[in-house]
Structures are given as C-alpha cells and as structure tokens.
Amino acid sequence: MGHLNFLDTTPSLPFLFLFITILVASQIPFGCTRQAHSSNYTCIESERQALLRFKNSLADESNRLSSWIGKDCCSWDGISCHKTTGHAVTLDLRNLEQPEMDEAFNTSYHCRSCLVGDQLSPSLVNLTNLRYLDLSVNNFSGLQIPTFLGLLKDLRYLNLSSAGFVGEVPHHLGNLSHLQYLDIGFASPNSIPIDNNLTSNDVGWVAKLSSLEYLSLSGVGLSNARDGFLAVDMLPLLKTLDLEGCELVVPHLLHVNFTSLSSLELGSNQFLNPTLPPWLRNLTGLQDLGLSYNNLDDKVHDTFRQMTSLVNLDLGGNHFDTSTLRSICNISSLTSLDMSYNELQGSIPSEIGQFPQLTVLKLSKNRLNDTTPSSLWQLTKLQGLYIGANALTGELSEHHFAKLRELKRLDISDNLFSLHVSSSWVPPFQLQYIWMGSVKIGPRFPNWLRTQKEIVELNMYNASISDAIPGWFGVLSNDTGGIILSGNKLEGSLNSFISVADDDKKFVQMWYLLLNHNHFTGSIPEDLCKLRTLIYLDLSNNHLSGRIPLCLGNLRYLSFLHLGSNSLYGQIPGSLGNLGELISLQLSKNRFDGKLPPSMQNLKRLQSLDLGENRIADTIPAWIGERLSDLEFLTLQSNNFHGGISNTLCQLPYLQVLNLAHNDLSGSIPHCFKNFTAMESTKPGTFQFSKSSYIDPLLRNFKAGIELEYLKNIDSVKSISLSGNNLVGEIPDEIMGLVGLQNLNLSKNHLNGRIPKNIGNLKQLETLDLSMNELRGEIPPSLSSIYPLSSLNLSYNKLSGPIPSGNQLQTLNDPSIYEGNIGLCGKPLLNSCPAGESPTENGPVLDDKGHSESDFSWFYAGFGPGFSVGVVAVVGILQFKQSWRYALFKCVENAYDRIWVMIGLKTSRLRRNFH
Ligand SMILES: *[C@@H]1O[C@H](CO)[C@@H](O)[C@H](O)[C@H]1NC(C)=O
Ligand SMILES: *[C@@H]1O[C@H](CO)[C@@H](O)[C@H](O)[C@H]1NC(C)=O
Ligand SMILES: *[C@@H]1O[C@H](CO)[C@@H](O)[C@H](O)[C@H]1NC(C)=O
Ligand SMILES: *[C@@H]1O[C@H](CO)[C@@H](O)[C@H](O)[C@H]1NC(C)=O
Ligand SMILES: *[C@@H]1O[C@H](CO)[C@@H](O)[C@H](O)[C@H]1NC(C)=O
Ligand SMILES: *[C@@H]1O[C@H](CO)[C@@H](O)[C@H](O)[C@H]1NC(C)=O
Ligand SMILES: *[C@@H]1O[C@H](CO)[C@@H](O)[C@H](O)[C@H]1NC(C)=O
C-alpha cells in the first residue's frame, strides 16, 4: 500500500498526543489578582520581616521584587493584606513574563524572569494568615516542596506548578484542611516549562483535603501510590481533577464520592480494564472529560450515550470505533470532541451534524473512508476541523465551506481529497492553520490564499501545484510561523516570494520554510537571511544555482539547513561556521568545490553532515573527529577527498553511518574503527521518532525509495561504506567487532589479505560488498550464519576454494556475486570443486528469496539522509530541548496543534512520565 501507510497505527504513538487543555483559569476560586491592594494599614512588622527573609532566600535576576522595600509590605508587588487585620493574605509570585527570544533559544534554557532558590525560607510560616500562595512557573529546580508549607493552616489556594520541584510530595500538605485549590502539576501551555518532577508514593494526604475543589497532580508519579485514586475519590467537593500522566491505574470504583466533578482529566494513565468504567456515568455534572491515550474502548457499554452534560470530550489515542462516535452524537451540548488516533472506520456518520455547538472536531488519524457527509459542513460554529490522515475521498468545493465562517484551523491533509474552487473564490473564513498536504489543489497556485490574512501555518505539500509563486504571496501575515510547499512543481525564482521581506517586519517569526522538491530556479536570495528566526530551512531538490549567500551564516537559530540536490557551486562559505545550533547540514548533490572551511569545526551540535556528491577537494579534516563529536551520520561520498583516513576520525562514538565512498582516499582502514561504539550495538541512536505521526505524511512525499528506506530505520541504521577509493592493506579484524553493522561496503579498493574469519560476528549484516579488491584465500564459512544477509557481492577478488553453503548463503545463489574469482568453486558456480574440497556445512535449504538490485541501490546511492533525517531530528531534538518547546510554543497561541512542537512537547513529558 506504499504511500497509504497512514492507515497503520503503531503502538508507540499512543503516548504522543496526550495534551489536553483544561480551562483552569475560570475555576480559580479566588480572583487571582496581581495588583497589590493599597490599604490604610502598613503591614505587620513580623510579616514584613518574614517576607524580607523569604526574598533574601531567592535570586531575582530580573528584579521582580524591586518593590519590596519600605515599611508597607502590603503595597509590595504580589502581596495583599486583609482589609481590617492588616495580615498578609496573598503571596502571588507566579511568573507571567514571557522570556526573550534569545533566552528561549538558548540551548540550556535560562529563565531570567524566574525567581530562583537553593532553599525557600521557612520564614513564610510567620505569614500566619496567608490564604493564597502562588509560586508557580519559577525555577526552584532540585528543591523538594518544603514541608513547612503544611503549617500555613489558613491556605485556600496553593499553586506550585511548573517550578522545578522534585522528589516526594510531603504529606504535610494534608494538614491544609481549608485548601480549595491545589496545583502541583504540569505547566500550563503558555508558561515556561520548567516542569516539576514529583512523585507521591502514598496519597493518603490528599484524602484529608476535604475542602478541595480543584486538584491538579498532572505529571506527579503515582505508580506506587496504592489506592491513589480512592484517596481522590474521598473529596466530595471536588470540581476539577487533573491526573494526566500520573502512571496511575484507574480502578473500577464501587462507589463514587466526587460526584461534584465537572472536569476530569485522566489522559495517559492506565485503566484496570480497557472498557470504560461504569462509574463515569454517575458523574452527572461532568462537562470536561479527558481520557486520551489509555487504550480504552467501549464497544459494548455505550457509556457516553448517558453522559449528556459533556461539553469537552477528549478520547484521542484509544480504540474507539465509529459506533462510539455515533453514540456520542447524542450529546448535543458538546463543543469540542477529539477522537483522533482511534479506530474509526467507514464513513463519518451523518449524525455528526447533531452537534450544533461544536467548535472543535478532531477525527484525524483514523481509518475513515468514503466521501464526507454533507452534515459535516453544516457545523457552522466550527473553528477547528481536523480530519487529516484518513482515507476520505471526494472533491471539496466552495459550497462545502460556505457556512464555515468561524473556521480558523483546517486539517484535511493526507486523504484522497481534491479541492476545486474558482479562482475568484473568497472563502467565508480567515484561516490561521491551513493543512492541506497531499490534497490535489493545483495545477494553479491557489488564488484564494490571497484573501487569508492571518495565516500562521501553511502546509500544502504534494498538492499538485505546477505554477510560479505569485507576487502577492508575500502578503502573508507577519505572524506566519511556517510554510511547507514541498513536493510540488513550483517554479520561478525564490526572489519574488522572499523579497517581500523588504519590510523588515514581514515573516519576522517564521520558524520553518520548506520548499524542497520543487522546480525553483535562480539563486538563493539574500533576502532569505531576513528570516532571522528560521530553525528549519529546506530548499533541497530544486534547480537553484549560484553560491550560498554568506549571510545565511546570520541565521543563528538554524538547526536544519538542507540545500542538497541543486546546482549550487563555489566554496562552502566559512560563515556557515556561525550556525552553532546546526544539527543537520545537507549540501549533497551540488557542485561545491574547494576545501571545507575550518570554521565548520564550530558546528559542535551537528548530528548529520551530508556533503556527498560534490567536488570538494580536501583531506578529511581532523576536526571532524575532534570537534563534531555528536555526529551520527557522516557522508562525504563522491567528492575528491584524498589522503589517508586518519585515526582522528575514530573519535565519533555516536557515528552510525560513515560513508566515504567514491573519493580518492588512500592508505589503510584504521584499526581504531572499533571505537565507533554506536555501531557495536543494535540500539537506536538519538534520532528517535515515532513512525506514525503527522510527520510521516510529510515524509511520504520525499521519494519512495531511497529516503523512505532510510526513514524506516533512521534511528537504527548502522553502515560503513568506503567503496571506490584506493585503500590498501587488510580488512582490520576490529571491524568484526562492530556487531550492529547492517551494511558494509568496502568494494572497489585494493584491499588484500583474507576476509576475516569471524565475519560471521556481524549478525545484523544485510548487505556485504567486498567486490573488486584483491582479497585472497577462502570465503570464511561463518558468513553463512548471517541470517539477515540478503545481498552479497564478493566478485572480482582472488578468492579461492569452495564456496561455503548452507543457511543464509543457500539463498544467495546468483553466480555473479562470486564471479571473477578464478579459484572459487562449487555452487552456485558451474565449476564443481575437486574431490576432497567439498563445500563445508550443508545446512537446510531455505526458500529462495532472491534479491533485487534495489536492495543494494539505496546503499550505493549513498547515505544522503536528506530530508527525512531533518524532520526526524526535529522530532528527536524537541524531546530534549526544553527551550525549543517553549520557543516554538510561543510562536503560535495554541501550539499543540502543531506537529513538531506537539510531538516534542508531548514526548518530552512522556519521557519523564513513562520511563
Ligand atoms: C484610608 O482609606 C481611605 C479609603 O480607602 C482613603 O480615602 C484614605 O485616603 C486612606 N488613608 C490613608 C492615610 O491612606
Ligand atoms: C517567625 O516566627 C518565629 C517564631 O514563631 C520567630 O522565631 C522568627 O523570628 C520569626 N521570623 C520572622 C522573620 O519574623
Ligand atoms: C525525575 O526524578 C527521578 C528521580 O526521582 C530521576 O530519576 C529522573 O531522571 C528525573 N527526571 C527528570 C526529567 O529530571
Ligand atoms: C465514599 O463515601 C462513603 C460514605 O461517606 C465512604 O464510606 C467511602 O469510604 C467513600 N468511598 C471512598 C472510595 O472514599
Ligand atoms: C451510580 O449511581 C447508581 C444510581 O444512583 C448507584 O446505584 C450506583 O451505586 C452508583 N455507582 C457508583 C459506582 O457510585
Ligand atoms: C471503507 O472501509 C470499509 C472497511 O473499513 C470497507 O468495507 C468499505 O468498502 C470502504 N468504503 C469505501 C467507500 O471505500
Ligand atoms: C505586523 O505586526 C505588528 C505587531 O507585531 C502589527 O501591529 C502589524 O499590524 C502587523 N502587520 C501586518 C501587515 O500584519
């Protein structure tokens, strides 16, 4: 099914999209006032002293507490006092600052506006009348929640979310018997994610908080808390409960006590049974319910039919089918429904029209097919419609959209849709997110885009557009964060589109621009360098010519720069050495010449460097091994690299793919190749990613074949190719220690000596090419025990003796793989061996799997990880870099609709919560 593989659902995914908004703000029992009340009372002196002590225990880099001077502590920022008694009742130090862009991008995120503390001063306990304490979104990294908070008996409101607290939650919090609001969970989406890392092994303390109305323990590890859920069920006044990602086993309750609940978030936990627990039905006032990523289904029970008070329902990432969707269609009060990543199949039920209030509908990533029911397009309140990655068909036209005036986000990507509208169409909506990947939109560039002034993201890859980008296209909003037009036949020069950046304000926030796999001509415009916030730039696979503009080196946030497969020439500019955040640099298949600029040694974060198929004439610089120590993929194939392979290269412990093929390298293969420790194991590298996500539709376009082949295994490919050089000497035995190797190609050199006896150690080997060398002696019988081996070439050497047989070698029966070795005999060659030299080891005869050229071709074609690595790496890297999570977050108001951010954020949470 090749390119329809979005129908697959993979088990690794369920944990990805677990994020759910809960409308916390509206439920805060106290007005969360930032203004200090001025009052006629100067504050109580002992409290003032206590506050000052507390202040002194904090580092306050951005001077947020500068007003904390003078006698009247009641007028200090964040403090308010009781009108009559003068006691401090509120201490609100929640950090609401948005960090600066530079700050956010800093690799090790440093929150300037955060209060930081090595300890929190216990003097706080002298604020005996404190009712409201908010320390959220600061940086108390590594601190435990102080036990003395349990002494603040009057507290009604306590918010310690997203402040870096770690360790076991102190049971002392259970003494806060008046507490109505407690949040020690995740950051809210708009805050800086210095997440807490808390556990609670015994939640008995929660049960004592009988006044609680709001409780968020999201992300707090409760896996060891026996009966954790029962403790929560003791809280009769609870209205909001957030237990997202707590590693909790949700039991079947016999009796529910928290019947006041109106908001319940249980996403990404585990239920005792895969069916919905019947007690959910007793929560008759429930409005918000989040059950995403719990492996649930409800084929029999029809639970939702009775939950008629629901307003927001998130069932994403479960196993619900279309019958559940039908039963949900009863709930006419629903305003948002998420059933993405489930097992919906067949048609979208026409009952979907029974949600007059629906503003958000998410049905992406299911197996829905057929045309869309007309009732879907009557949901006039829709602001977000997500039906991407199904198998829906049909022609969408103006009349489908005629009533969707409110629509802001539209995802119809990756179906079998075509869009047919007149060139004068003026849509009724102003879209912010346009996801129309693989929708047949062309051949003309869609004129209606001109009317859309609020575009944040535009994604029309593979949309069959064969046209020039019109001049007006630059008139996108200056909030545009990303454009993907890959895989069309867009033509003309990039100038017309980029030069709108005349106005410096335009595109100031663009994070990614992917125009790869088109027919663009001309040079790379210098104006591109005005897109200063670009993280991901892909212009590969076009017809661009000229030199790389020096100013590209000013795009200092770039992490992915892909310019491969064009006709660019000249030296690689030294200015690229300024791109210290670069993770993947792909310049392959151009005509670059000269030497590598030494400044490239500053690219210390590079994980993938692909310079293959150029005319670079240099020795392999020592700094590659000495400075680029994160490299996982190195491709210098088909250039004019000369000289020896020096031992310095061996200092790359993470290297998974080394491709130096088709150069002019001489000397011998270093024994120190054994230091490529990543090749010693089958463990995947850090480019981990989920194969099933919004990403893969994106990838699907970028060629079936080579890159896709790569993609499948990108995180675990382990390969060495040194083919087509002038290497001499023997094959070092040490290479046989790289037992994770899947591909080894040493062909077309002058290697001599014998094939190492223990070549059978390379148990993962799928392809082995030692052809066209001067290897002597017998073929080691151990070769036959490499079961994955599907492609072998030993031709044109000086090998002799019987060809081993049995096991895997039995299937490799094409005589040409042995030809040109005068001394070889036995099957599959025609000459039988002289008596006494019978082939060793007659194993069982396996089926003839055969193998085709293409098995090899991607290998020969070189390791141009190309596009796929890039996207993959975005995903991978987002898992590690908090700052990115935040920075990308910031650029759109609702970041979790966005692929990379979403995945990055969610997986990073999951890393914490599930590993
Ligand atoms: C005391 O409060 C009243 C009313 O809030 C205000 O009019 C008056 O100016 C205040 N007096 C002082 C000394 O601040
Ligand atoms: C807080 O109260 C304790 C006694 O309860 C006292 O010893 C201490 O000095 C007080 N601290 C401040 C800052 O007032
Ligand atoms: C969270 O804390 C645990 C120990 O309690 C530690 O093993 C883990 O690495 C921490 N996770 C993060 C993301 O800091
Ligand atoms: C619910 O309340 C009943 C009666 O107050 C009590 O007996 C029971 O233990 C409570 N159930 C749970 C799970 O807390
Ligand atoms: C749900 O409500 C029904 C009827 O009020 C009651 O019989 C049943 O025990 C309740 N179930 C739970 C789990 O509380
Ligand atoms: C939709 O998929 C179902 C299987 O899930 C299949 O039986 C049906 O024929 C498909 N319908 C269309 C129109 O492709
Ligand atoms: C660009 O952004 C500024 C503020 O960031 C805004 O005032 C202005 O209206 C925007 N211009 C356009 C053309 O959208």
Side-chain angles (χ1 to χ4, degrees):
M1 278 254 277
H3 99 281
L4 288 182
N5 65 3
F6 52 79
L7 295 180
D8 298 343
T9 47
T10 58
S12 63
L13 184 79
F15 298 117
L16 283 181
F17 295 78
L18 56 86
F19 199 90
I20 294 152
T21 31
I22 305 181
L23 298 172
V24 174
S26 60
Q27 314 205 15
I28 296 176
F30 296 83
C32 172
T33 53
R34 301 281 307 162
Q35 260 92 3
H37 292 282
S38 50
S39 82
N40 279 343
Y41 295 88
T42 50
C43 69
I44 291 166
E45 178 59 18
S46 65
E47 295 193 352
R48 193 179 77 93
Q49 292 296 334
L51 285 167
L52 284 178
R53 265 190 215 181
F54 181 65
K55 176 188 177 185
N56 288 338
S57 73
L58 302 173
D60 176 20
E61 191 179 339
S62 63
N63 260 328
R64 284 173 51 205
L65 303 183
S66 58
S67 68
W68 285 30
I69 47 170
K71 282 283 172 207
D72 184 8
C73 68
C74 295
S75 67
W76 295 352
D77 280 350
I79 314 287
S80 67
C81 297
H82 194 274
K83 284 222 172 64
T84 53
T85 65
H87 279 291
V89 291
T90 300
L91 176 53
D92 179 0
L93 297 178
R94 183 179 176 85
N95 173 22
L96 298 173
E97 291 292 312
Q98 304 280 322
E100 294 302 309
M101 170 102 163
D102 284 12
E103 201 186 338
F105 269 105
N106 218 325
T107 315
S108 54
Y109 172 63
H110 172 71
C111 170
R112 264 173 44 80
S113 56
C114 282
L115 299 173
V116 179
D118 296 335
Q119 64 159 93
L120 292 177
S121 165
S123 65
L124 275 189
V125 302
N126 294 28
L127 305 174
T128 49
N129 287 32
L130 206 59
R131 292 177 155 229
Y132 185 108
L133 177 59
D134 189 342
L135 300 177
S136 61
V137 203
N138 283 296
N139 185 358
F140 303 117
S141 288
L143 285 194
Q144 297 202 309
I145 294 179
T147 55
F148 66 74
L149 292 181
L151 298 171
L152 294 168
K153 291 276 181 4
D154 255 5
L155 275 187
R156 307 298 204 269
Y157 180 104
L158 179 58
N159 190 344
L160 303 175
S161 64
S162 190
F165 287 111
V166 301
E168 178 76 11
V169 181
H171 60 85
H172 307 73
L173 295 186
N175 298 340
L176 303 174
S177 57
H178 297 297
L179 211 55
Q180 295 171 9
Y181 183 107
L182 176 62
D183 186 352
I184 54 175
F186 285 151
S188 72
N190 295 319
S191 58
I192 309 155
I194 297 181
D195 288 335
N196 292 335
N197 183 7
L198 296 167
T199 53
S200 186
N201 291 321
D202 175 1
V203 289
W205 59 273
V206 171
K208 294 175 17 191
L209 301 174
S210 55
S211 308
L212 269 190
E213 295 177 18
Y214 179 104
L215 175 62
S216 172
L217 301 178
S218 56
V220 177
L222 300 181
S223 56
N224 296 329
R226 283 173 176 275
D227 301 339
F229 202 76
L230 296 183
V232 170
D233 186 30
M234 301 277 207
L235 306 172
L237 303 179
L238 210 55
K239 293 199 174 67
T240 300
L241 176 59
D242 182 353
L243 296 174
E244 184 190 349
C246 290
E247 302 172 75
L248 188 71
V249 177
V250 181
H252 270 191
L253 300 177
L254 294 175
H255 183 73
V256 285
N257 289 356
F258 49 21
T259 50
S260 314
L261 272 188
S262 72
S263 177
L264 176 61
E265 174 53 71
L266 294 173
S268 297
N269 284 293
Q270 225 186 317
F271 279 69
L272 203 57
N273 281 323
T275 53
L276 281 173
W279 55 262
L280 275 178
R281 288 183 207 157
N282 288 43
L283 303 176
T284 51
L286 207 56
Q287 297 189 353
D288 307 321
L289 177 60
L291 296 173
S292 58
Y293 299 104
N294 281 308
N295 283 316
L296 289 169
D297 68 35
D298 191 44
K299 296 210 168 56
V300 190
H301 293 92
D302 215 9
T303 308
F304 294 112
R305 198 174 289 282
Q306 294 161 51
M307 303 187 65
T308 51
S309 57
L310 285 175
V311 177
N312 298 300
L313 179 57
D314 184 352
L315 302 177
N318 285 296
H319 305 292
F320 295 112
D321 65 11
T322 317
S323 71
T324 304
L325 175 54
R326 281 214 178 79
S327 74
I328 289 170
C329 288
N330 254 2
I331 312 175
S332 59
S333 52
L334 220 53
T335 67
S336 96
L337 173 63
D338 188 345
M339 291 192 75
S340 50
Y341 291 90
N342 272 284
E343 287 165 18
L344 304 176
Q345 45 184 290
S347 320
I348 297 178
S350 62
E351 293 95 319
I352 203 84
Q354 294 169 15
F355 294 119
Q357 308 299 328
L358 207 60
T359 59
V360 178
L361 177 62
K362 300 190 177 185
L363 302 177
S364 310
K365 269 282 184 187
N366 280 289
R367 299 173 199 174
L368 294 164
N369 61 11
D370 210 343
T371 56
T372 53
S374 59
S375 58
L376 177 66
W377 308 100
Q378 310 300 318
L379 294 170
T380 56
K381 301 223 166 125
L382 274 185
Q383 295 170 14
L385 175 61
Y386 306 78
I387 51 176
N390 280 290
L392 296 163
T393 59
E395 191 173 281
L396 299 178
S397 64
E398 295 169 29
H399 86 260
H400 284 99
F401 296 101
K403 294 189 175 162
L404 304 184
R405 295 171 180 282
E406 311 285 323
L407 205 61
K408 294 287 175 208
R409 291 139 196 263
L410 176 62
D411 176 10
I412 54 174
S413 289
D414 302 302
N415 283 289
L416 305 167
F417 286 133
S418 59
L419 178 70
H420 265 259
V421 295
S422 84
S423 65
S424 57
W425 183 43
V426 178
F429 45 65
Q430 282 290 335
L431 289 180
Q432 293 168 347
Y433 295 79
I434 302 178
W435 287 66
M436 295 190 172
S438 85
V439 175
K440 191 177 176 306
I441 292 170
R444 303 307 306 277
F445 197 86
N447 204 38
W448 59 269
L449 277 183
R450 191 172 191 170
T451 66
Q452 304 296 299
K453 305 288 190 203
E454 298 173 16
I455 296 177
V456 176
E457 288 187 22
L458 174 64
N459 189 344
M460 289 186 173
Y461 63 84
N462 249 27
S464 310
I465 305 172
S466 312
D467 204 350
I469 293 191
W472 53 258
F473 184 64
V475 196
L476 286 175
S477 111
N478 56 4
D479 288 334
T480 302
I483 294 178
I484 301 179
L485 291 171
S486 314
N488 286 290
K489 290 179 183 150
L490 294 167
E491 56 195 38
S493 122
L494 291 175
N495 271 303
S496 53
F497 147 55
I498 307 282
S499 66
V500 297
D502 268 354
D503 167 4
D504 267 0
K505 291 261 151 96
K506 282 269 185 273
F507 294 132
V508 284
Q509 295 211 86
M510 192 177 289
W511 306 90
Y512 58 88
L513 177 61
L514 280 67
L515 301 175
N516 50 315
H517 290 84
N518 278 294
H519 295 170
F520 288 113
T521 50
S523 56
I524 300 176
E526 297 220 341
D527 280 339
L528 198 68
C529 305
K530 292 182 180 169
L531 308 181
R532 285 190 307 270
T533 59
L534 278 180
I535 292 174
Y536 195 145
L537 176 62
D538 196 336
L539 304 176
S540 65
N541 289 279
N542 279 291
H543 308 306
L544 299 171
S545 55
R547 293 168 187 271
I548 296 181
L550 301 186
C551 65
L552 272 194
N554 301 340
L555 299 177
R556 60 199 175 104
Y557 304 124
L558 268 187
S559 288
F560 301 89
L561 177 58
H562 293 178
L563 305 175
S565 298
N566 281 292
S567 303
L568 302 168
Y569 56 79
Q571 271 188 273
I572 296 172
S575 63
L576 293 193
N578 297 334
L579 302 176
E581 295 288 326
L582 218 49
I583 290 165
S584 176
L585 177 61
Q586 186 236 49
L587 302 175
S588 52
K589 301 187 194 172
N590 281 288
R591 295 195 304 246
F592 295 116
D593 57 21
K595 294 185 182 237
L596 297 181
S599 64
M600 280 178 72
Q601 64 191 288
N602 300 329
L603 306 180
K604 295 203 176 101
R605 294 188 202 292
L606 269 190
Q607 295 182 20
S608 174
L609 176 60
D610 183 1
L611 304 174
E613 298 186 52
N614 280 292
R615 297 167 184 179
I616 300 165
D618 200 349
T619 53
I620 298 177
W623 50 257
I624 290 190
E626 288 168 351
R627 311 299 286 278
L628 309 186
S629 49
D630 284 347
L631 271 187
E632 298 183 15
F633 298 83
L634 175 61
T635 299
L636 304 178
Q637 184 211 264
S638 302
N639 279 287
N640 298 320
F641 283 96
H642 50 263
I645 304 174
S646 108
N647 286 355
T648 57
L649 196 64
C650 299
Q651 302 172 33
L652 297 172
Y654 304 113
L655 202 65
Q656 292 180 213
V657 170
L658 174 65
N659 185 355
L660 306 178
H662 305 291
N663 279 291
D664 205 9
L665 298 169
S666 53
S668 55
I669 302 175
H671 291 263
C672 65
F673 269 26
K674 67 170 189 289
N675 295 352
F676 296 138
T677 44
M679 300 185 193
E680 280 176 4
S681 83
T682 52
K683 277 218 298 271
T686 57
F687 275 5
Q688 288 181 13
F689 73 110
S690 164
K691 284 164 196 154
S692 171
S693 68
Y694 270 115
I695 298 294
D696 56 351
L698 203 66
L699 295 166
R700 218 176 298 131
N701 306 292
F702 302 101
K703 282 239 184 296
I706 295 168
E707 277 149 6
L708 206 58
E709 193 72 47
Y710 233 104
L711 169 66
K712 279 194 213 139
N713 302 307
I714 191 65
D715 46 0
S716 51
V717 172
K718 311 277 168 91
S719 294
I720 292 179
S721 177
L722 304 175
S723 166
N725 283 289
N726 295 314
L727 299 172
V728 296
E730 302 195 357
I731 300 174
D733 269 347
E734 286 85 349
I735 290 188
M736 306 307 136
L738 303 177
V739 298
L741 272 184
Q742 292 152 1
N743 307 287
L744 178 62
N745 188 347
L746 305 177
S747 66
K748 301 184 187 134
N749 280 291
H750 307 292
L751 298 172
N752 55 35
R754 293 166 171 266
I755 300 176
K757 270 209 203 61
N758 51 352
I759 192 155
N761 290 356
L762 301 181
K763 288 276 186 281
Q764 305 299 321
L765 217 51
E766 293 165 19
T767 68
L768 174 65
D769 191 347
L770 303 176
S771 65
M772 302 201 198
N773 278 292
E774 291 154 28
L775 298 168
R776 284 174 293 109
E778 296 194 353
I779 300 175
S782 70
L783 198 59
S784 69
S785 62
I786 303 178
Y787 289 96
L789 196 64
S790 60
S791 193
L792 173 69
N793 195 347
L794 301 177
S795 62
Y796 299 99
N797 276 290
K798 296 176 176 166
L799 298 168
S800 57
I803 294 174
S805 65
N807 298 339
Q808 188 58 13
L809 283 187
Q810 203 77 33
T811 69
L812 300 170
N813 55 7
D814 174 356
S816 71
I817 67 180
Y818 300 109
E819 79 186 10
N821 288 287
I822 295 173
L824 284 180
C825 61
K827 280 182 183 166
L829 297 178
L830 295 176
N831 60 327
S832 50
C833 295
E837 272 194 55
S838 63
T840 43
E841 226 182 299
N842 266 310
V845 178
L846 302 179
D847 285 349
D848 182 1
K849 279 201 308 188
H851 68 282
S852 63
E853 276 301 303
S854 65
D855 288 335
F856 248 139
S857 61
W858 69 273
F859 184 64
Y860 281 134
F863 296 102
F867 181 79
S868 44
V869 170
V871 175
V872 166
V874 170
V875 179
I877 213 69
L878 281 168
Q879 298 181 6
F880 304 112
K881 281 182 147 185
Q882 278 195 340
S883 55
W884 278 42
R885 286 165 52 199
Y886 178 69
L888 287 167
F889 237 5
K890 194 184 150 208
C891 72
V892 288
E893 30 95 32
N894 235 340
Y896 44 86
D897 287 331
R898 302 214 10 218
I899 38 170
W900 301 332
V901 187
M902 184 164 60
I903 292 169
L905 171 73
K906 290 170 184 181
T907 50
S908 72
R909 285 189 169 178
L910 283 162
R911 251 159 209 270
R912 197 190 60 190
N913 292 320
F914 290 87
H915 297 290

